[in-house]
Amino acid sequence: MATSRPAALTAITALTALAPISWGTTYAVTTELLPADRPLFTGLIRALPAGLLLLALARVLPRGAWWWKATVLGALNIGAFFPLLFLSAYRLPGGMAAVVGSVGPLFVAGLAAVLLAERPTLRTLLTGIVAAFGVSLVVLKAAGALDPLGVLAALASTASMSAGTVLTKRWGRPEGVGPLALTGWQLTAGGLLIAPLAVLIEGAPPALDGRAVGGYLYLALANTAVAYWLWFRGIGRLTATQVTFLGPLSPLTAAVVGWAVLGEALTPVQVVGMGLAFGATVAGQLRPKAISRPRSFSFSERNARRDSMDVAGEPLRR
C-alpha cells in the first residue's frame, strides 16, 4: 500500500532510486571488467546466485498459486528482460536501446490504467515524453542503421519489465512474505530460465581472471540482489507510475560514470538532456491531490476525531 506521509514517502523513493542508479553502472563494469560477448552468461551470473542467496536468507518458498506467479514475474522482470535487453544493446547503434527503454513510464501508465485502475493524467503522459526526449539527448550517438530485430528486442524488453512492474504491484505479496523472499523467488526463476539459453547459445563458461570475478561479484550482490530487493520493495509502497519514472536515472548514471570514470566527454546537449530527464523523474514522483470540499465539524465531532488519531495524525488500528 502506498504511503501518504511525506517524509516516509521521500525516504522510500530515495531508497528505490538506488536500484536504477546501481543499474547505471552495469555498462562500465561490463566493458571494463568482464569477458566480451557473453551477455547471457552475465545475465545468468547476475540473477541465479543472487536469487539463491536471497532464498537462503529469507528461508521462505512460494505456496499455492505463488509458484506460477513467481515464475511469471521472474520471467518478465529477469528471465526475458535480461536477454532481450542485451540483444537490443548489441544490435542497435549507441544508446538507441536506452532511448526505447526510456518509454517504459508510458508503457506502465497504459498497463496500470487497465490492471490497477491508475488513470494516467495528462501530466504523466507529458512527463513520460519529456523523460524519453531527455534520455535521447544524453545517450544517442552518431546515427546508424536501425536493425529491425534490435528495435523489436528493445521494445519487447521494455514491455516485459513494464508488465512485470505492474503485475508485481497488482499481485502484491502473500501474507507474511517480505520483499526479500519475493525478490529471491523472481531472481531464481529468472536465472533458471536464462541458464539453458546461456548453455545452448554461448556454450561453456569463459575463463575468469581476478577482475572478472570482482565484476561478477559486484553485479550479483550490489547490482542485482540489493538493487532488485530495493526495487520490488519500492513497488510495494509506491504507485507503479512513481516507480517506473525512476528508470531514467539508469542511463543518466551511466553517462555520469562514463564521464567520471571512463573519461568520456559530456557535451552541452547531453547536459541539457540530463536536466530534462532528471526533472521528469522528479515530476513523476508527484501525485495529484484529490480535490474535496472541506467539512465543518462540531465540537463533539472534533474531540471524537482527535481521540481516534495517533500522535502522527494517522487513524488508530483497533
Side-chain angles (χ1 to χ4, degrees):
M1 182 176 178
T3 183
S4 60
R5 299 183 185 180
L9 182 64
T10 300
I12 292 168
T13 302
L15 286 173
T16 308
L18 293 177
I21 289 173
S22 172
W23 298 333
T25 66
T26 303
Y27 174 78
V29 172
T30 301
T31 57
E32 298 300 307
L33 301 179
L34 304 185
D37 301 325
R38 302 304 294 264
L40 291 175
F41 178 77
T42 297
L44 173 62
I45 293 300
R46 282 186 68 187
L48 191 55
L52 294 174
L53 173 63
L54 295 186
L55 283 182
L57 292 174
R59 292 185 292 180
V60 177
L61 292 176
R63 290 192 219 169
W66 270 98
W67 280 105
W68 70 263
K69 287 183 178 181
T71 301
V72 170
L73 293 178
L76 291 172
N77 288 318
I78 309 295
F81 175 69
F82 278 3
L84 289 169
L85 179 67
F86 282 123
L87 177 62
S88 65
Y90 272 94
R91 298 187 71 97
L92 293 178
M96 181 58 72
V99 172
V100 177
S102 68
V103 302
L106 299 177
F107 275 57
V108 168
L111 290 170
V114 175
L115 298 177
L116 303 177
E118 289 183 10
R119 242 175 126 185
T121 63
L122 178 61
R123 187 187 71 189
T124 297
L125 299 177
L126 290 177
T127 304
I129 293 171
V130 171
F133 179 66
V135 169
S136 70
L137 294 181
V138 175
V139 302
L140 282 184
K141 311 293 183 184
L146 293 182
D147 178 82
L149 179 59
V151 173
L152 183 61
L155 287 171
S157 69
T158 302
S160 180
M161 186 69 163
S162 299
T165 297
V166 174
L167 284 178
T168 301
K169 183 70 179 178
R170 178 180 173 86
W171 288 339
R173 299 192 304 269
E175 186 70 27
V177 173
L180 193 72
L182 181 64
T183 306
W185 298 349
Q186 295 187 56
L187 288 172
T188 302
L192 290 175
L193 290 172
I194 296 173
L197 290 176
V199 173
L200 290 173
I201 296 174
E202 297 181 352
L208 304 179
D209 57 16
R211 287 164 58 87
V213 170
Y216 281 126
L217 283 175
Y218 168 77
L219 290 181
L221 297 177
N223 189 269
T224 302
V226 174
Y228 272 96
W229 169 68
L230 290 172
W231 185 253
F232 293 130
R233 178 177 176 270
I235 290 175
R237 297 176 178 179
L238 303 171
T239 68
T241 303
Q242 285 176 307
V243 172
T244 195
F245 265 110
L246 296 174
L249 292 175
S250 181
L252 296 187
T253 301
V256 172
V257 170
W259 168 74
V261 178
L262 305 180
E264 298 176 355
L266 282 177
T267 67
V269 171
Q270 287 178 301
V271 174
V272 170
M274 291 173 73
L276 288 173
F278 184 75
T281 296
V282 174
Q285 305 312 307
L286 304 177
R287 302 183 68 177
K289 294 182 179 179
I291 300 175
S292 60
R293 183 174 296 176
R295 178 184 166 192
S296 183
F297 292 95
S298 69
F299 178 77
S300 60
E301 286 178 317
R302 284 198 300 270
N303 282 340
R305 184 174 174 81
R306 181 198 62 196
D307 293 340
S308 68
M309 308 292 282
D310 65 12
V311 294
E314 292 292 316
L316 289 172
R317 298 186 183 274
R318 301 184 184 277

